[in-house]
């Protein structure tokens, strides 16, 4: 592990564990010095949790936007994840919308049969953009085979294995909402970025691959700029949505949608 890797891991660990006030105290000053706007990812177990954390972040210099991670158990609803229920997802979005004018992204879960009604509900509740996707629910088995490997039994599957699922969800969501879709799921190189733009993403994020190479996002920006220059494009806007059907919402070529 290099010094950079260790610093990155410490940074992520701190952000996850420390609580909002400690994060603001320790990092907001640093963020104001960055050229890249910082969008803070917020999690909670109740609508009040989300509202309280966003209330603290709102107005802090260095915080350019909020992304709600709603793949969390809603204790008020018996542990049901906000992200798998359109009403719960819309409820937390609307509550946060009421207390901040910061750009508000809400992150979709792939662990649903049809994400489109949930995406539409979040849009109607006032989100500025949707992020797709969070991790896929999975389990691993302990070497003894006497129990699941993870203490929590379920874990989140991420990285290149989930890219086709992320592409499918971005493709579906981009056709039913008017707000931008920010894609994440298995991006490791420029070809992945171009694929996600083609199915309707307006921007992309990098998750798992950043642990292997913290500089990857910077390189991807350079690669995308070079690709646009090569194609004679002033921006990547013409690359967005080129693989979407001409008739929005059209079923697959066989006339039905494949559903698990
Ligand atoms: C170690 C780890 C930690 C994560 N923590 C968060 C988190 O705090 N909030 C969140 O919204 N998503 C979190 N995710 C999900 C990622 O942001 C991303 O949505 C998912 O991993 C798919 O993208 P990827 O294949 O590029 O990793 C995490 C993923 C991993 C692997």
């Amino acid at each position: 592990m290099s010094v950079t890797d260790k610093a990155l891991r410490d940074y992520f660990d701190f952000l996850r564990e420390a609580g909002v006030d400690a994060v603001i105290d320790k990092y907001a000053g640093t963020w104001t010095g960055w050229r890249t706007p910082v969008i803070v990812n917020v999690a909670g177990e109740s609508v009040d949790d989300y509202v309280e954390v966003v209330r603290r972040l709102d107005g802090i210099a260095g915080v350019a936007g909020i992304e709600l991670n709603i793949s969390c158990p809603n204790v008020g609803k018996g542990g049901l994840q906000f992200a798998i229920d359109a009403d719960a997802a819309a409820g937390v979005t609307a509550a946060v919308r009421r207390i901040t004018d910061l750009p508000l992204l809400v992150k979709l879960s792939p662990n649903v049969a049809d994400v489109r009604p949930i995406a539409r509900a979040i849009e109607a509740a006032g989100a500025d953009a949707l992020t797709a996707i969070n991790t896929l629910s999975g389990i691993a088995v302990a070497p003894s085979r006497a129990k699941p490997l993870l203490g929590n039994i379920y874990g989140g599957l991420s990285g290149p294995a989930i890219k086709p699922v992320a592409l499918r969800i971005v493709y579906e969501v981009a056709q039913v909402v008017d707000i931008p879709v920010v894609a994440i799921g298995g991006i490791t190189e420029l070809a992945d970025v171009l694929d996600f733009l083609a199915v309707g993403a307006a921007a992309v994020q990098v998750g798992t691959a950043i642990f292997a190479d913290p500089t990857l996002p910077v390189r991807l920006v350079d690669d995308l700029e070079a690709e646009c220059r090569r194609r004679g494009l002033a921006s990547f806007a013409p690359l967005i949505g080129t693989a979407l059907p001409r008739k929005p919402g059209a079923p697959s070529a066989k006339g039905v949608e494949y559903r698990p």
Side-chain angles (χ1 to χ4, degrees):
M1 187 188 286
S2 71
V3 172
T4 317
D5 291 342
K6 177 153 182 359
L8 187 72
R9 272 163 206 270
D10 288 349
Y11 177 63
F12 284 148
D13 285 348
F14 184 84
L15 292 183
R16 246 198 325 274
E17 307 296 337
V20 64
D21 291 329
V23 169
I24 290 170
D25 284 351
K26 188 157 180 185
Y27 287 113
T30 309
W31 295 337
T32 56
W34 288 355
R35 273 186 299 151
T36 306
V38 174
I39 296 172
V40 179
N41 182 272
V42 172
E45 291 187 340
S46 67
V47 172
D48 287 348
D49 278 357
Y50 285 94
V51 166
E52 186 53 32
V53 172
V54 174
R55 210 190 286 282
R56 307 270 182 97
L57 291 164
D58 188 56
I60 300 285
V63 177
I66 302 291
E67 180 181 67
L68 301 185
N69 173 12
I70 57 169
S71 295
C72 304
N74 177 354
V75 288
K77 278 205 166 190
L80 178 81
Q81 276 185 31
F82 289 94
I84 66 167
D85 181 86
D87 289 342
V92 68
T93 303
V96 170
R97 178 75 295 168
R98 277 193 288 277
I99 56 129
T100 185
D101 291 327
L102 284 169
L104 179 61
L105 293 76
V106 181
K107 192 160 175 182
L108 298 169
S109 167
N111 304 312
V112 295
D114 188 351
V115 77
R116 289 168 293 189
I118 299 168
R120 279 194 296 255
I122 293 170
E123 179 184 39
D128 296 306
L130 292 160
T131 308
I133 56 174
N134 217 309
T135 52
L136 277 122
S137 176
I139 67 167
V141 176
S144 68
R145 303 228 158 78
K147 57 181 183 181
L149 179 69
L150 301 174
N152 193 37
I153 302 175
Y154 298 94
L157 180 65
S158 66
I162 73 167
K163 181 185 158 190
V165 178
L167 283 171
R168 192 255 301 166
I169 289 180
V170 172
Y171 177 90
E172 291 178 343
V173 171
Q175 293 177 64
V176 299
V177 297
D178 292 323
I179 53 177
V181 181
V182 178
I184 178 166
I187 293 174
T188 65
E189 59 180 13
L190 177 66
D192 302 322
V193 177
L194 297 174
D195 286 349
F196 278 106
L197 293 177
V199 295
V204 301
Q205 299 177 356
V206 180
T208 301
I210 220 173
F211 289 100
D213 178 4
T215 65
L216 178 63
V218 179
R219 209 170 61 244
L220 290 177
V221 169
D222 292 344
D223 289 351
L224 184 58
E225 274 173 7
E227 179 69 12
C228 289
R229 269 197 306 279
R230 198 181 65 75
R231 297 187 191 204
L233 299 174
S235 82
F236 64 85
L239 306 178
I240 298 173
T242 54
L244 291 175
R246 290 212 192 94
K247 225 170 50 180
S252 78
K254 287 187 178 161
V256 289
E257 294 171 345
Y258 173 75
R259 289 278 146 203

